[in-house]
Amino acid sequence: MTSQAAHATQQAQSVRQDRPCPAVPPGTTIGFIGAGNMAGAIVRGAVAAGLTQGQGAARLLVTSPHGSAAALAGELAGQGVEHVAQAQDLVHASDVVVLGVKPTIVPVVFEQLREELAERRALVVSLAAGLTLARLEEMLPEGARVVRAMPNVAAAVGASMTALAASSRASEEDLALVEGLMAAVGRTARIAEKDFSAFVGLAGSSPAFVFTFIEALARAGVLAGIPKAQAVDIVTQAVLGSALTVQADAGAEDGRTPTDLVDAVCSPGGTTVAGLVAMERAGFSNAVIEGVRATVARDHELGA
Ligand SMILES: NC(=O)C1=CN([C@@H]2O[C@H](COP(=O)(O)OP(=O)(O)OC[C@H]3O[C@@H](n4cnc5c(N)ncnc54)[C@H](OP(=O)(O)O)[C@@H]3O)[C@@H](O)[C@H]2O)C=CC1
Ligand SMILES: O=C(O)[C@@H]1CCC=N1
């Protein structure tokens, strides 16, 4: 395991301690096609959450063409994760097939595995941006059961916000199974499928927006004379603390809204209001809203 992956796993374990251990039906075999950022995070999260241990342990299979699946299985050797060289063999052995490939590769994979998917009738789980349940069903053999899941990169530290929606042929048990799997990497929410594109803007893609904000804030710190590493550390804690404050207030009886919280920081004639007005003059809120609008539009394009 790389030191980065080890650190991510350690972080994920500490975040996970606050949540109940997720569950999937005993003995379920889950096959992952693709083992990159997202599938890798889910597999690591499932292992860290204990899904592959004890009585009724799940079996996790991984496959990919250029070595990422073999590397993942090597990293998690002896922990219930197996590398399968051929995707066809993986489908034959799986109750659930998770597609962890880029949206443009999904049709290619479905075409390659058409026969096996028709025979095995596994539950298909797509992580792909853009591809709607209707589009996925069109590409799959008649009668396929499909669940869409939209996690985010914070899955790597057990803090994803994952949306879920099921096709009409998928059962409540199917959806609950995917919910159990995705609970290993963070929180889940069942949402109407029509809202998936907006969800991508708010949670699937938004970590990149927040990372950019953190970077910009830290750079401003460097401009003011603080060393970069220290600036990043300071900003990260400030952003984390702000998010936790919003979350705590949202759960409280007389909880304040984000607008109330802004007002609570802005002393009349003080530093914050001066900064905020300057940021809005430069188009801060509009930039964020336009960014989300472009994300939603691109999600629609990918599904067309
Ligand atoms: N990254 C993110 O933050 C998020 C991603 N998603 C979705 O998750 C999906 C995966 O994204 P991400 O994990 O970032 O992608 P990565 O590029 O990190 O991983 C893609 C994986 O696909 C594999 N792959 C490529 N071609 C094939 C093929 N023909 N057959 C089987 N496997 C193949 C690659 O294997 P190898 O390297 O061995 O070639 C690799 O393991 C996407 O659909 C994306 O929309 C959803 C939410 C957030
Ligand atoms: O940009 C992408 O395609 C993926 C989907 C959500 C986050 N990243």
Side-chain angles (χ1 to χ4, degrees):
M1 194 193 282
T2 62
S3 67
Q4 201 184 15
H7 184 64
T9 304
Q10 206 179 21
Q11 294 270 88
Q13 275 160 349
S14 69
V15 173
R16 267 183 212 107
Q17 278 163 4
D18 299 338
R19 300 200 317 275
C21 182
V24 302
T28 305
T29 299
I30 307 174
F32 291 81
I33 298 182
N37 289 312
M38 206 34 67
I42 297 168
V43 169
R44 287 190 192 95
V47 169
L51 244 63
T52 57
Q53 285 150 31
Q55 233 187 354
R59 197 174 153 220
L60 306 184
L61 310 180
V62 290
T63 194
S64 77
H66 305 112
S68 58
L72 182 65
E75 173 194 315
L76 299 168
Q79 297 181 72
V81 180
E82 297 160 48
H83 174 237
V84 179
Q86 298 300 326
Q88 285 82 356
D89 296 334
L90 176 137
V91 173
H92 269 308
S94 299
D95 304 306
V96 181
V97 173
V98 181
L99 285 153
V101 299
K102 295 291 185 193
T104 50
I105 304 293
V106 170
V108 179
V109 169
F110 281 166
E111 194 48 47
Q112 276 169 356
L113 301 174
R114 200 166 175 80
E115 228 170 86
E116 291 75 18
L117 287 165
E119 272 169 35
R120 176 66 192 184
R121 303 252 150 220
L123 169 65
V124 175
V125 180
S126 168
L127 308 176
L131 300 179
T132 61
L133 288 168
R135 183 84 189 89
L136 292 161
E137 280 179 316
E138 252 171 47
M139 292 188 276
L140 281 163
E142 182 72 30
R145 291 139 54 225
V146 193
V147 171
R148 267 186 93 180
M150 179 48 59
N152 70 21
V153 76
V157 293
S160 178
M161 181 71 233
T162 303
L164 300 168
S167 70
S168 58
R169 293 207 174 78
S171 63
E172 168 55 33
E173 288 74 23
D174 291 333
L175 188 52
L177 186 155
V178 183
E179 211 162 36
L181 175 65
M182 298 312 295
V185 292
R187 285 176 52 199
T188 61
R190 296 181 183 198
I191 67 169
E193 207 217 351
K194 70 171 180 55
D195 295 332
F196 256 65
S197 297
F199 184 91
V200 173
L202 297 189
S205 295
S206 69
F209 310 154
V210 177
F211 298 150
T212 304
F213 174 67
I214 289 174
E215 173 60 23
L217 211 49
R219 201 174 309 136
V222 176
L223 190 65
I226 297 179
K228 182 67 184 283
Q230 194 179 17
V232 171
D233 187 43
I234 291 167
V235 168
T236 304
Q237 179 59 30
V239 171
L240 189 63
S242 307
L244 287 171
T245 305
V246 174
Q247 203 169 49
D249 272 77
E253 208 167 299
D254 306 326
R256 293 163 296 176
T257 65
T259 305
D260 296 333
L261 290 167
V262 169
D263 289 344
V265 188
C266 286
S267 316
T271 55
T272 314
V273 72
L276 210 53
V277 167
M279 283 169 86
E280 288 303 358
R281 220 179 268 137
F284 181 70
S285 293
N286 272 336
V288 173
I289 292 165
E290 285 308 312
V292 172
R293 275 159 61 99
T295 306
V296 171
R298 182 64 187 140
D299 194 73
H300 288 153
E301 279 168 17
L302 283 173

